[in-house]
Amino acid sequence: MSKKLSISMITLIFLLIVIFSAGFFTGIYTSNTLFASEELKELTEKEKIEDFEYMYDILKDNYTHFYK
C-alpha cells in the first residue's frame, strides 16, 4: 500500500511541475513571454527614456560604489 501511495505522490508532483512550467513559459503566471505568441509593442522615445531613468535610479540607489 505504501509503494502505491508513493508512486501516486510522485506522479502528482510530476504533473504539477509540468502544468506550472507550461504556464510559466507561456506567460500565464508571470510576465515572461519567452514562448508566448503575443508580439511585444515597440516603445516610444518617451517610454524608453522613462525606463532608462528608472533603471539608472535603481542602480544608483542600490549600487552606490558604481558612482563614486
Side-chain angles (χ1 to χ4, degrees), residues 17-55:
I17 290 171
V18 168
I19 290 168
F20 282 112
S21 62
F24 175 78
F25 285 118
T26 57
I28 293 172
Y29 304 119
T30 64
S31 61
N32 180 9
T33 55
L34 185 62
F35 296 110
S37 61
E38 295 179 18
E39 290 292 324
L40 298 175
K41 70 172 189 138
E42 187 66 30
L43 296 176
T44 65
E45 288 297 317
K46 182 179 178 185
E47 291 172 326
K48 289 177 184 178
I49 292 170
E50 288 173 354
D51 284 351
F52 178 79
E53 289 173 347
Y54 175 77
M55 179 196 67

Side-chain angles (χ1 to χ4, degrees), residues 58-68:
I58 295 293
L59 290 174
K60 187 173 72 174
D61 292 342
N62 293 310
Y63 300 96
T64 56
H65 58 280
F66 286 163
Y67 300 98
K68 287 184 178 180

